[in-house]
Every structure is written in structure tokens, then in C-alpha cells.
């Protein structure tokens, strides 16, 4: 069975916070962030919306991209490109 990997950015509209992660099961992971987890960063800033997602075949590529998005340049790109798109929708 072939796995798919996703790098995603969540956004909390009420708190104006972002969260970047990587998973092979995007739907389950999103539900976990919004309701099933009991501790951690994402619990404090619910509800989350899915602001951005990228698909990868190789886990190593997904991990590399997640690290890029968590870097200073990546966070700036999220702040300047992704978040304005989301805000314009709401």
C-alpha cells in the first residue's frame, strides 16, 4: 500500500495563530487538532481551519517541506501569502 504525505497549515481565526504539521492521514489529523486532543499547542487556539495543504509521495520530501515552512522564511511566506487569502474568504 502506498502512503501519501501531506504538509498542512492550520489557522485559528479568533486567535490569529498558525500551526504547521505533516501527516499521512489529513482528515484524522485535522479532527484530532479540532477536538480529540486534550493537551498541546492546538488545544488552546481552537477552532482551526485548514489554510494550506501540499501533497507528497515521499515522506522525506514532506519532512523537508515541513521544516522549510517552520523556518523564518517559511513562516513569513505563510504570513504574507497564505493568511491574507484566508482572511479574504472570511
Amino acid at each position: 500500500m502506498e502512503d501519501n504525505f501531506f504538509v498542512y497549515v492550520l489557522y485559528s481565526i479568533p486567535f490569529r495563530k498558525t500551526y504547521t504539521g505533516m501527516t499521512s492521514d489529513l482528515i484524522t489529523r485535522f479532527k484530532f487538532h479540532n477536538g480529540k486532543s486534550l493537551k498541546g499547542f492546538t488545544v488552546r487556539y481552537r477552532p482551526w481551519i485548514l489554510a494550506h495543504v501540499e501533497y507528497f509521495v515521499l515522506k522525506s520530501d514532506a519532512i523537508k517541506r515541513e521544516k522549510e515552512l517552520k523556518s523564518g522564511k517559511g513562516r513569513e511566506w505563510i504570513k504574507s501569502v497564505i493568511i491574507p487569502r484566508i482572511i479574504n474568504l472570511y
Side-chain angles (χ1 to χ4, degrees), residues 1-11 19-36 42 48-56 62 66 69:
M1 183 173 147
E2 186 176 311
D3 285 330
N4 302 309
F5 300 95
F6 303 91
V7 174
Y8 60 93
V9 177
L10 302 179
Y11 184 64
Y19 177 85
T20 302
M22 191 270 301
T23 186
S24 61
D25 187 346
L26 187 59
I27 294 170
T28 300
R29 191 70 178 135
F30 182 71
K31 289 178 182 178
F32 184 81
H33 284 303
N34 261 332
K36 293 184 179 182
T42 59
W48 294 97
I49 61 168
L50 186 61
H52 180 74
V53 66
E54 298 177 13
Y55 167 81
F56 297 88
E66 179 188 20
L69 290 178

Side-chain angles (χ1 to χ4, degrees), residues 2-3 5 22 44 46 51-52 61 66 71 74 76 78-79 82-83 87-88:
E2 186 176 311
D3 285 330
F5 300 95
M22 191 270 301
R44 291 175 271 178
R46 289 176 181 160
H52 180 74
D61 290 342
E66 179 188 20
S71 73
E76 185 56 38
I78 291 167
K79 183 179 176 182
I82 301 302
I83 301 310
I87 292 171
N88 288 335

Side-chain angles (χ1 to χ4, degrees), residues 3 6-7 12 14-16 25 29 37-38 43 46 50 57 65 72 75 80 82 87:
D3 285 330
F6 303 91
V7 174
S12 171
F15 298 99
R16 294 183 287 168
D25 187 346
R29 191 70 178 135
S37 64
L38 300 175
V43 171
R46 289 176 181 160
L50 186 61
V57 173
R65 181 60 172 152
R75 287 191 309 271
S80 65
I82 301 302
I87 292 171

